[in-house]
Amino acid sequence: MGSPASSFDLLDPALQRWVIRQGWEELRGIQTDAISAVAGGPSDVLLIASTASGKTEAAFLPLLSDYLAQAQTRGFFAIYVAPLKALIDDQFERLTSMGEEFDLPVHRSHGDVSQSARQRFLENPGGVLLITPESLEALLARRGNQIVDFFPALHYVVIDEVHAFMGTERGVQLLSLLQRISYETKHRARRVGLSATVGKPESAAMFLAGGEPSSVVLVQEAPQPTRLDLSFRTHHYGPQEKMERALSEIAVTLFRDLYTTDNLVFANSRANVELLTSELSGLCVQHNLPNHFFPHHANLSTRSRRDAEDELRDATEPTTVICTSTLELGVDIGNVQSVAQIGPPPSANSLRQRLGRSGRRGEPAVLRYHVPVHESDSIDPVEQLSLSLLQSVASLVLVMNHHYESAPQNLMSYSTLVQQVLSFVAQRGGATLCEMFNVFSGPGAFPTLTLVDLEDLIKGLCAHDLLDQSNGEFVVGEHGERELGNFRFYAAFTAEPEWTLVTVTGVIGTFAPPQLPRIGQRILFGGRNFRVRLVDATRHRVELESVAAGGIAPYGGLPVNVSTLVRQQMLRLLETEDSFSWLDSSGQSLLRRAREQWRAAGFDSHALREVGGDTQYVPWVGTACFNTVTSLLRREGISFRIDGISLWFSGLSISEVRQRITSLLNTIPEMSDELMPFLDPDVVVPEKWEWCLPERLAQTSQAQRCLDLPGALLALSSLVTP
Amino acid sequence: MEKEFTTASRIEIERDQILTALRSGTVPRSGIDKIRVGRTEEIRELLKDSDRISGGGASIRFLMGEFGSGKSFLLQLAREVAFGKKLIVAKGDLTDSRSLRTTTGSESSIYQVLMDSLSTKQRPDGGALGPILNDYFDACAEEATNEHVNPLVLIEQRVSPLKDFTGGHDYVKILMTYWQGYDSGDEAIKDAALEWLRGSIKTIRDARAQLGVRSIVNDASYFDVLKLHARLFRLAGYGGLLVQIDELTTVARLVNRESRAKNYDRILSFVNDINQGLVSGLGLQLAGTLETLTDPRRGLYSYPALQSRLAENTFAVNGRNDLSGPVIRLKPLTPDEILVLLLRIRGVFDTGRTGESVVPEEAVTGFLLTESRRVGFLSHVTVRDLIIRFVGFLSIAERYPQDSWQDILVKAPTSGDDASPATNDTRRLGEMQDGDGFTRVEF
């Protein structure tokens, strides 16, 4: 890579002067490398570094340099895409400052940007546009005929938080939008991706380049060792008790430890967020102190969430925000003094991200891990393994060894394709099958799309009046017009189905109650207790009044997924003797006991054991894989019972089980689609547009999301090999 | 008629003046030497500056530090130092409607405020321009009498050299007009001349009508007039003129880019003229926050010409201080220095007390400890706030001698500005220290 001095020379002279004026003595490593990478050739560039590493400048310095060297033409020179409006606002501040120096117009567009600000860049497109995928979608769908005005000279697309886009519907949407732009302008802009340091760089490169990872130039910050101050405490609750009891205990500790500083508490579920916040603010009231604890999750109103974020940013008052994964990502709230994790995190990846939120400049990250552990009085030894403790420890051990889950590859999101097809047709006023195939197929958003599939999909859309056929072209149908008119159209993901919650102060949030809300029902929301005063079923509106106590958090459980990586690590913990100095004494003894239990239980090396004529099998695989195994068993007609993480085959001995599985392995389906009829429907969370997909494609889509056929086959094969 | 103060009562009066000022968060006018802590290097430099000025040279300094870091205090100290070197001191604050350069008609320039504030050691409360002139002319008149010369001729001889400088012609004419009015008892013409010098004559027509000159002291000319004043004061036997301008931040905060640029341009001309030796007996001290200097979009350093002239020594970091450049960065007081400061204040408080101090030394340390546990201590509390609360603490201790200082600390009400919990609760929380149960890991 280039040396700092020579990279500096690669910059436009005006930019060089600017850099010197900033008072920077030298360019940081990642900035130097970024400049060389961008100047060195036409390929895409991926910058991987931690936050506050100067990533933004690293991307924009070479871009700006290029801009200064070009003659000004009409249209945007670069677009910058980020997943969060707040992130765009932050970058807008920074870039405007740089932009003023160089006569580079800087614009932004997202849901909260005023019409007049948007008018300005619509009339005079130029410079850099900072935008969310949804806003870009709206731009293309609504102003399709202006694309040639906006993007003829598009040189660069900067994608921030690449790791947050990979493997998600939003990421697919983004890639598709970029493909549509290239299609209209007949050239492909260079992509510069910015990513945090997690996971496998190759997956991020794959995403960025749309399938040609080797063509991407990787610029990676020299990895710094992570220093972490760790406190790990277990909290028991008895066999008959509920987890709420452990949460109360945890709340007391958190109150004492967190009151005077800024912190984030990740409580995993919305219900836990509400419970903890309620306990913590209650403790403040009890001690006659002002409240420093605020909730943050997807159902709270935008205003409540922004208020909590602002409190965190405010240096004058300490603030602790209790959240789900909503605050895992890059919004600039500064770094907090410590992060608390309650129970096991959703994944190792997730834990790594959360850690990174603490630790101010030069200081180690601080993690307070509090794990509620259920003491079971079941005779089944697997129930006595303190699984939540194992999972928590396993996640942490994985992070310490830099092992993370891989992002799903080749995600074929037909639901997103529906949205894109509708949007594309709207953009052009009408499109032929051939045009649509040309724009959407190939490496990128929909790599495995075939003409037949596209045709079937479009037929399905016509059947629902979303599209109409006329003169060999497809145009937007009546139903389609209604959908496009709805602002929710532009998001690729399902918005939460909602009732609006209203108090005297206004809208406080939305929720999707498991049943119709009743008057007099007490709910816990935003950390406060309310009673339902009025239910308006037609407008889906609930009016609330404050009460002192007694609210129940109104959330149904979404299925919680665990990865195979974590479950395998849990097994390894049981089978080895590794000890961990950071585990509290109660945790140490629980781990010791779990290992004893596991050994004493008599599972063989394949995790099978016979108990009174039945066979118990613990696959130690992730949720998707587990569901695939059960689907395969059902398809084969092998009867079984699920109990926690175990499968029970009643009346079968180990050798009989092996026989049945051997014959199962002789008739495996070619594609996981075939297993869909055997999958427990509760497990499937539908994607936004799945309802209008032809049956076949809906199944493929769901299978891809919910099943892991290769993994299941691997697990089952290992059962039968000696 | 002069009242006679006994030494004892004079000391008490000074004590009260100091405490009253501290209680309201301002810098005391006199006796600040009693509460000065640290800043020895800065004082040394400012002394050198004053020496240079009174030796006929000139200097310009930028005193930049955080809000509440003692800039105003240092300016006050500089003032005392200047008085010691027989300099005349003028001071003014920039505000939203008062800048270094008027770009719209509605602003007033800083000049008039500076003129109103002109002070000497004997006349520390401003308005000294008239008396300075009177004293000078009296001395000239006496000299003339002794030498059997017409005072008019002598005075004219003395001030004529000023005509060589920009704007000197009219300036001298005004001085002579002032003398004439003073001598003949014509108050009207004397006052008119004084008004002109103070920048209160707003139109050339008025100047011509009242004083027969075709110029006024306005936005374009006031710097030149300040230079002339400096030379005049030297003629009058003083060392020269020190001009202190505080709240430079106001300029950086100007929204209109052009206004900002014009103001920076004015500062540039200050710097250039003084550095090029075109000025004699004039010192400028400009004070503002650090951000005023360093903000890349709007600070002084964003103006390229200024940045190169003000360039600080990049090797002067990590405690090494290079004070030879025009910028002095005020470092915040260290905790030790703060403790010494509070002890000194306690000393002032104890003035005239017989027997023990109002509170023992442990109380001072205890006070600091309690304060340091206050939420936001590191980021938000300034020395000024600390002093206000400390003086309050001492006052209560004095009024209720039967209560122990510990009790007073616990019951101390919080000041109004931040809504942090009562001190005693924070203290209770502070006692429940968290910090054990952590393991350091690295991976």
Side-chain angles (χ1 to χ4, degrees), chain B residues 23 77 93 111 152 165 185 203 212 237 325 344 397 411 435 439:
Chain B
R23 233 182 241 119
L77 263 179
D93 290 355
Y111 178 77
L152 183 74
F165 303 103
T203 65
R344 291 259 176 97
K411 280 189 247 160
T439 313

Side-chain angles (χ1 to χ4, degrees), chain A residues 244-281:
Chain A
E244 276 77 336
R245 212 199 64 84
L247 284 180
S248 291
E249 198 181 283
I250 293 174
V252 171
T253 314
L254 288 179
F255 173 72
R256 191 195 68 209
D257 293 345
L258 304 184
Y259 186 80
T260 53
T261 46
D262 288 337
N263 307 280
L264 281 177
V265 178
F266 288 97
N268 292 338
S269 71
R270 289 165 296 174
N272 283 354
V273 169
E274 293 289 357
L275 284 168
L276 263 182
T277 310
S278 170
E279 294 271 343
L280 287 165
S281 17

Side-chain angles (χ1 to χ4, degrees), chain A residues 85-133:
Chain A
K85 295 180 211 172
L87 193 52
I88 290 195
D89 290 340
D90 286 341
Q91 300 293 25
F92 183 69
E93 292 290 320
R94 273 191 243 173
L95 283 175
T96 318
S97 172
M98 262 172 114
E100 262 171 25
E101 293 288 331
F102 300 106
D103 273 332
L104 170 78
V106 178
H107 303 284
R108 65 179 156 172
S109 180
H110 58 60
D112 295 343
V113 171
S114 73
Q115 193 47 32
S116 51
R118 271 188 265 199
Q119 244 349 80
R120 253 176 274 144
F121 74 78
L122 288 174
E123 281 164 10
N124 237 329
V128 180
L129 176 65
L130 289 78
I131 196 167
T132 56

Side-chain angles (χ1 to χ4, degrees), chain A residues 630-640 660 664 678:
Chain A
T630 53
S631 307
L632 283 167
L633 292 173
R634 280 193 203 102
R635 179 172 171 271
E636 186 69 9
I638 304 173
S639 64
F640 64 91
R660 301 293 304 274
L664 182 156
F678 304 100

Side-chain angles (χ1 to χ4, degrees), chain A residues 97 226-230 257, chain B residues 297 434 439-443:
Chain A
S97 172
T226 311
R227 281 154 57 235
L228 174 66
D229 278 339
L230 175 62
D257 293 345
Chain B
R297 270 176 74 191
D434 149 65
T439 313
R440 173 72 58 93
V441 295
E442 212 171 283
F443 54 91

